[in-house]
Amino acid sequence: MTSLQGDASRTAQRAPNRGIPPAETPPAEGSTTSGISFPEPALRVGWGPVPLVLIMLVVVLIAVGLIAMAVALMA
């Protein structure tokens, strides 16, 4: 059975009110990776001409339909 107290020989020795001395703390974590591991895809510049034309065509058709309904209701 293991003890929850830990091994006294492996724990840092603390001086009263002084904390743990720097020699007894582990070094900072080093990073072994730098940069990206695979090439990223090229960014898309924006909307192409075909989707913009289709959206404008739908907007024009809806506007023509609303104007035609308004003219038909006034007659």
Side-chain angles (χ1 to χ4, degrees), residues 20-69:
I20 298 173
E24 294 192 19
T25 59
E29 178 181 329
S31 176
T32 59
T33 59
S34 63
I36 58 175
S37 60
F38 56 90
E40 293 194 12
L43 296 176
R44 295 182 70 176
V45 179
W47 289 79
V50 174
L52 289 177
V53 169
L54 290 176
I55 291 172
M56 288 190 302
L57 181 65
V58 168
V59 169
V60 168
L61 289 175
I62 290 174
V64 167
L66 290 173
I67 291 171
M69 280 185 6

